[in-house]
Amino acid sequence: MRAALYRDMGEAAEVFCVEEVERPEPGPGEVLVRVHASGVNPTDYKARSGAVPRPIEDFQIPHQDGAGVIEAVGAGVDSGRVGERVWLWLAAAGRQWGTCAEWTTVPARQAVTLPDGASFELGASLGVPAMTAHYCLFADGPVGGQTVLVAGGAGAVGHFAIELAKRAGARVVTTVSSPAKAALAEKAGADLVVNYRSPDAADQIRAFGPVDRVIEVALGANLQIDLATAGPHATIVTYAAEPANPELPVRACMTANLTLKFVLLYGVEMTALDQAAADITAALAAGELTGLPVSSYPLADIAAAHQAAESGAIGKVIVTP
């Protein structure tokens, strides 16, 4: 099969190759998936660049997320799943076979039914972003009737956090940095969209009501606005690391009786991930999850795809093996 891969970490243009490699076969409890779309996430290019180094065994096929069709199953897996359209999560977590290839193998639980009407591009956009959004959103209990602040509502995690929060009955305010991003957040269903660069951004959010839960992409940059708008006993859940660690104003956090949670999807317990996958699929089936604008690249242009994602392309970068 044709696959994008790297043997050393570094810049995309320097380390990526597209080669013919032996197609993997599904082991016990696994499925073989013909990949139709492979999503690029920050975790993928950070692993490739060496910013978050991970062991490489001979070569690494990148990308945690994808979507396609099951073509074979290993021992212990229902053969009736052959032909099933699926979306994939954490395909390359501790494994050589990511989704940036014509085929991949994953544990059967990590190939989840993709409902009719949901495109492969949307399926490949889920995984890390949607599951991160789900876990952050519900990490401190239900959000029905609460006010949720989603930082960076035009990003992939922010986009799904808005949609999942609305589905759960929350009021949602989100922050963005431009009119184009504001349009995406409004389309996702946010009740209020605020440009965080506005001098009165905190006042706009406060007027919407005290925030119960914050889904945070940049804790250091946004902590002041989070503290200024959080209600008593609010929870801030942060899922991304910045180059510089933030300074924590302990007294202000104490005064608000604030809870601060840190989330890395790779360490979340499997039961929570299974629940997230089930809830995401239910939302898909109900037509309540939508895709961001897609920039699509063929397999041969894998380096350009990673460069686009690293440069902050609006929407979702997809590779089509």
Side-chain angles (χ1 to χ4, degrees):
M1 69 173 184
R2 292 178 71 243
L5 56 87
Y6 56 89
R7 293 181 171 84
D8 297 293
M9 288 170 277
E11 295 295 326
E14 296 174 359
V15 300
F16 266 128
C17 303
V18 177
E19 297 182 7
E20 293 280 340
V21 298
E22 193 72 22
R23 191 184 79 178
E25 295 300 325
E30 296 181 344
V31 296
L32 173 71
V33 177
R34 178 64 184 259
V35 180
H36 288 252
S38 175
V40 184
N41 291 301
T43 188
D44 301 314
Y45 59 70
K46 288 176 182 177
R48 184 223 73 231
S49 70
V52 184
R54 293 181 186 141
I56 298 175
E57 183 182 342
D58 187 16
F59 62 81
Q60 179 65 52
I61 298 173
H63 300 177
Q64 302 291 349
D65 300 342
V69 177
I70 294 177
E71 289 198 351
V73 301
V77 180
D78 181 6
S79 61
R81 295 199 67 185
V82 173
E84 181 183 336
R85 300 170 74 249
V86 291
W87 62 275
L88 311 176
W89 52 272
L90 295 188
R95 298 170 61 86
Q96 187 177 34
W97 309 101
T99 66
C100 203
E102 292 178 312
W103 283 271
T104 190
T105 55
V106 295
R109 73 193 302 171
Q110 291 166 229
V112 187
T113 301
L114 183 64
D116 293 337
S119 69
F120 288 123
E121 289 79 11
L122 177 53
S125 301
L126 300 171
V128 168
M131 297 182 83
T132 297
H134 183 281
Y135 188 78
C136 290
L137 193 60
F138 300 109
D140 209 32
V143 296
Q146 295 191 350
T147 298
V148 174
L149 168 59
V150 177
V157 174
H159 173 80
F160 291 122
I162 291 170
E163 293 189 327
L164 290 169
K166 291 300 296 180
R167 172 176 167 83
R171 300 168 73 241
V172 180
V173 56
T174 188
T175 54
V176 297
S177 60
S178 70
K181 291 182 177 180
L184 290 176
E186 288 168 359
K187 187 176 179 181
D191 298 292
L192 175 67
V193 180
V194 175
N195 189 319
Y196 64 78
R197 293 173 174 161
S198 300
D200 65 341
D203 293 334
Q204 292 182 55
I205 297 170
R206 271 196 297 263
F208 187 71
V211 171
D212 301 294
R213 197 155 308 177
V214 181
I215 313 303
E216 187 54 78
V217 65
L219 184 64
N222 297 333
L223 187 55
Q224 283 192 330
I225 198 169
D226 293 344
L227 289 173
T229 57
H233 307 284
T235 300
I236 299 174
V237 190
T238 183
Y239 61 88
E242 300 165 281
N245 289 321
E247 182 177 327
L248 192 66
V250 174
R251 189 70 191 182
C253 294
M254 290 171 61
T255 301
N257 279 282
L258 191 76
T259 297
L260 182 58
K261 289 181 180 284
F262 297 87
V263 171
L264 181 65
L265 200 64
Y266 298 100
V268 172
E269 59 275 14
M270 270 293 182
T271 52
L273 295 179
D274 287 339
Q275 186 62 58
D279 290 350
I280 289 163
T281 301
L284 277 175
E288 293 178 336
L289 289 186
T290 64
L292 285 161
V294 169
S295 300
S296 185
Y297 293 79
L299 195 65
D301 291 342
I302 178 62
H306 270 233
Q307 289 164 348
E310 288 180 89
S311 68
I314 295 177
K316 192 69 185 177
V317 176
I318 297 290
V319 177
T320 52

